[in-house]
Amino acid sequence: MNHDIAKHFEPSSEGDGAVEHPDPARLLPWSSADGNPCYLLGDGTGHVSRVADDIERLQLGMADDLIGHADQLLACQGASTRELRFLARGLTDSLRDVRRVAESRGARLRAVGRSSGDEGGNRE
C-alpha cells in the first residue's frame, strides 16, 4: 500500500485548540511507513475511502479463509509445530487487521449516533 495517498491525522482531543471537522476522522486499514495509525478526514465518498473499504473487505475475507484453514489444520492430528506456528502468526496478523476494522467502524457508528442524537437539541 502506498502510504503517501493518505493523510495522517490523530483525532483531536477536546480543548486542544484543534478546529472541529464536520466528519469524524476515519482510522484506515493500514499503518504509516513507521507503524503509526493513518487517519482520513472526509465524508467517506472519496477515492481513499473507497480504497479503504476495498482493503477492509479483503482483510475480512482473508480472515474467513484463515479460520477455515485453521479448522482443517487443527483437526489434523499430524500438524507439525512449524505448521502450527505459521498458523498462529497468520491468525495473529488477521486478528490485528479485523480489530482495526472493528475500531474504525465502531468509531464511525458512534459519531453517527452522536450527530443523530443532537438533532433538535442536545439530549443529556
Side-chain angles (χ1 to χ4, degrees):
M1 170 53 63
N2 183 348
H3 297 290
D4 295 329
I5 64 172
K7 296 193 179 221
H8 307 278
F9 291 95
E10 290 289 336
S12 64
S13 300
E14 281 188 39
D16 68 357
V19 176
E20 285 294 318
H21 191 275
D23 299 308
R26 176 183 181 173
L27 175 62
L28 294 171
W30 57 80
S31 299
S32 68
D34 56 353
N36 292 319
C38 296
Y39 294 91
L40 175 68
L41 292 176
D43 61 4
T45 62
H47 175 71
V48 176
S49 291
R50 289 190 303 274
V51 170
D53 291 342
D54 290 344
I55 289 175
E56 285 181 354
R57 266 191 298 281
L58 178 68
Q59 288 172 329
L60 294 173
M62 289 172 60
D64 283 339
D65 293 344
L66 189 55
I67 289 169
H69 178 67
D71 285 338
Q72 291 175 348
L73 187 61
L74 293 172
C76 174
Q77 295 298 319
S80 70
T81 301
R82 184 176 179 184
E83 289 172 315
L84 292 172
R85 288 181 61 79
F86 185 75
L87 175 63
R89 170 52 48 207
L91 288 169
T92 301
D93 291 343
S94 183
L95 183 59
R96 189 174 290 115
D97 290 343
V98 169
R99 188 179 98 197
R100 181 183 293 256
V101 171
E103 287 175 9
S104 177
R105 291 181 180 185
R108 286 180 279 154
L109 284 173
R110 283 189 299 278
V112 169
R114 278 193 304 268
S115 66
S116 65
D118 286 343
E119 290 177 6
N122 289 334
R123 285 192 253 161
E124 302 266 335

